[in-house]
Amino acid sequence: MLEHNKNGGWLQHVLPGIGWCLLSSPASNELYIDVQVKDWIKTATTLVSKAPAYLTTMFANDERPLTGCFAVYAIFAVQDRDLLVGVRLAIDETQAQFPSLTPHIPAAHWYEREIKDMFGLIPVGHPDPRRLVLQPDWPKRLHPLRKDFLPQTKVEPQQGKMAFPMVEGEGVFEVPVGPIHAGIIEPGHFRFSVVGEEILHLEAKLFYTHRGIEKMCEGMDVQGILSVAERICGACSLSHATAYAQAIERISGIQIPQRAQKIRSIGLELERLYNHIGDIGNICAGVGFAFGNMQLSKLKEEVMALNERFAGNRFLHGVIALGGVNTDISLNMASDIRNTLAMIEKEFKKVTEILLEQTEFINRVENTGVLEHEIAADLGVVGPVARAAGLDRDWRRDYPYADYAGKKFVIPVYQTGDVFARLQVRIDETLSSLELISQFMETMPTGILRFAIGTVPAYQYALGYVESPRGADVHWVMTGKNNTVYRYMIRSASYPNWPSLALAVPGNIIPDFPLINKSYELCYACLDR
Amino acid sequence: MWTIFRKSAGTGIVTRDIGQNTDAPGFQGPPRIEFSGCTACGRCTKTCPASALALIREKEQTALRLDIGRCVYCGRCSSICPERVITSSQRFSWATKNYQDLYVGGRCGRG
């Protein structure tokens, strides 16, 4: 209670003179305030400049069955303080609009476009109100996340084409790439405007793998959604499952057993390991350096085989239970983990040492695909992409969860923002993860693996978040009656990073695009949901 | 250049030969059901997120049927079975030419 008062008092100090009222505080580091439309932009910009804080996600909720109106929530992550502040704005159905934050906080851009597509609430003053999520052939004025749009509704496709900005001039060509790509990767369309080989402009059309996961989960049983959360994405499966479970546990007000926290943390670092090792290999593939790609693919395979022995599944499905974990670590498994990771660390160091000695390779990755620090901060990028552009942010340290509180580990930050920096961040983080796993395994508390969570209270809400290999995954859950979920918002790490990719590409040549793309290694499925 | 060549040559062949093995150590595959102990309570059919389990009632007998093609290997059925007749198999190899081969069923011995 003292914590809540402390944060409430601090907020009074940061936002004086604004008529906000405290809505709820689901946990000591999470609170929500409600504001009037006249104070909406001022509250947001004041939080950003004075707290200081950055916008981490923004979404809408059709609360008409509950309160008679829609609501838009903007969640701010306070810097230098373990606190997440949600600002809620109620929106009348007949108005169906709200003042756009984007001209003041560029990071809001895609969130507001998605709110417009899915809820039909217009962000007034948004500089780019084109469709984002819905494909061009989706009918106008049909908004899927409104409660009156029933799931399974048959929708007739309409005529429609995406508007790509035209770059005009002598010798300017348009090069379309995808959605079907040369490699076996996810679908996404990229429209390049080029002169010769040099890229002038890139526009991406994404959301091909939009499955309507958020809509599908509405009304679903709380337990069943865990299986869905695991499958939002293959490579961040454990991160998403943990984030969802944490949201539900926060709403239920339970602390999971210590042993379960450790096991979750070990699993999350194993996930980071196989992702980073594979991603470094993929950066090599981006320049056709087969040696790096193959050696690191072999190491990635070793980690995935370890995952299978540890969790029964290469992608760590089935580890998380609501209230704890399903998987235990026996003494034999602990030895297996230690021995396997010792071998991996030795091999990884050897391979990356050879990699960094290759001048032709360094030549390709240095100064390629530079994401400037200011753009990175303005767009609120996350993860290795952020840390490679000088943003010292890592949610394991900044808003600790699972067993991360109090742990000392290396968080690499580089300033150059190029492919080389993103590569180095991943190399450093791999070694840091290996060290963290040793720390976690040093003291394994005994005890049970899970607490029963019982029936979740209805119409309560909370955040669940995890620093996945790509950055912070932020989930927001509002429960419904009878142990179901009313609204499930998933903001994966890839979401804020995708728009920044288009800004890191101009000035580079087309053959560098696969390399830049691979240095980001963003997940299309995580973005699209 | 030489370091690359030396490391590659030293790596050798990494493919593991598993012979005719269809099990993987630690792998959590589809469930194995001891039908004789099943009471047809239906808990597993309700908890399955993939609708892979079904109770089929014919005349006086009830049978439990598993569709391995739908199974996502989540293990919920084995956790929830009050009679503990469901365990996880470690078999990963299920490819077959006939979908019928993926149906595994049996009469519920105590149902």
Side-chain angles (χ1 to χ4, degrees), chain A residues 223 227 295 298 308 312 347, chain B residues 7-8 11 14 26 28 76:
Chain A
Q223 292 282 352
S227 296
Q295 289 285 337
K298 167 175 163 284
E308 190 170 73
E347 283 296 303
Chain B
K7 181 85 183 101
S8 283
T11 302
V14 299
Q28 179 174 292
R76 273 196 223 280

Side-chain angles (χ1 to χ4, degrees), chain A residues 73-281:
Chain A
Y73 293 79
I75 314 284
F76 293 89
V78 180
Q79 288 161 277
D80 311 319
R81 195 177 183 101
D82 181 7
L83 179 60
L84 298 154
V85 178
V87 182
R88 176 182 180 274
L89 176 68
I91 297 173
D92 188 73
E93 180 170 3
T94 50
Q95 301 271 320
Q97 64 180 39
F98 61 99
S100 168
L101 290 179
T102 303
H104 313 274
I105 303 173
H109 65 153
W110 277 25
Y111 302 122
E112 291 185 338
R113 285 168 72 184
E114 177 161 346
I115 291 173
K116 175 167 168 283
D117 279 358
M118 306 307 273
F119 289 88
L121 306 172
I122 311 293
V124 176
H126 194 295
D128 182 10
R130 283 176 301 163
R131 267 197 182 167
L132 181 68
V133 180
L134 299 174
Q135 296 293 327
D137 61 358
W138 183 271
K140 288 195 183 18
R141 286 179 292 279
L142 193 58
H143 306 288
L145 277 179
R146 287 193 173 203
K147 291 294 179 187
D148 45 351
F149 179 90
L150 298 175
Q152 315 286 343
T153 304
K154 275 219 163 335
V155 177
E156 286 298 317
Q158 313 285 294
Q159 288 293 337
K161 280 184 84 152
M162 168 154 167
F164 284 99
M166 288 299 297
V167 178
E168 280 163 9
E170 173 122 12
V172 178
F173 282 85
E174 228 185 11
V175 179
V177 178
I180 300 174
H181 293 285
I184 302 173
I185 64 172
E186 298 172 86
H189 182 79
F190 302 97
R191 196 66 70 94
F192 295 91
S193 297
V194 299
V195 172
E197 296 258 295
E198 184 176 329
I199 302 170
L200 295 176
H201 184 79
L202 167 63
E203 192 78 18
K205 164 120 199 63
L206 301 163
F207 292 94
Y208 284 91
T209 62
H210 176 73
R211 292 151 281 166
I213 287 182
E214 294 183 3
K215 184 76 178 185
M216 183 181 96
C217 289
E218 290 179 10
M220 243 178 109
D221 172 70
V222 168
Q223 292 282 352
I225 294 178
L226 188 57
S227 296
V228 176
E230 278 182 339
R231 289 161 178 80
I232 295 166
C233 159
C236 325
S237 170
L238 190 64
S239 301
H240 281 306
T242 307
Y244 171 71
Q246 284 177 174
I248 296 294
E249 284 146 12
R250 198 166 261 210
I251 291 172
S252 302
I254 70 157
Q255 303 277 359
I256 73 171
Q258 270 300 103
R259 190 173 177 84
Q261 294 286 31
K262 286 265 180 183
I263 294 174
R264 282 187 179 182
S265 310
I266 292 169
L268 289 169
E269 291 307 313
L270 282 174
E271 184 166 78
R272 195 178 323 279
L273 271 181
Y274 86 76
N275 270 280
H276 278 4
I277 292 173
D279 292 350
I280 297 166

Side-chain angles (χ1 to χ4, degrees), chain A residues 506-521:
Chain A
N508 293 277
I509 55 173
I510 292 192
D512 276 337
F513 174 68
L515 175 62
I516 300 170
N517 209 7
K518 285 183 154 47
S519 73
Y520 266 74
E521 200 67 28

Side-chain angles (χ1 to χ4, degrees), chain A residues 291-307:
Chain A
F291 167 79
N293 188 17
M294 291 303 136
Q295 289 285 337
L296 293 164
S297 294
K298 167 175 163 284
L299 287 184
K300 176 187 172 184
E301 172 61 28
E302 296 284 354
V303 184
M304 296 189 84
L306 174 64
N307 289 347

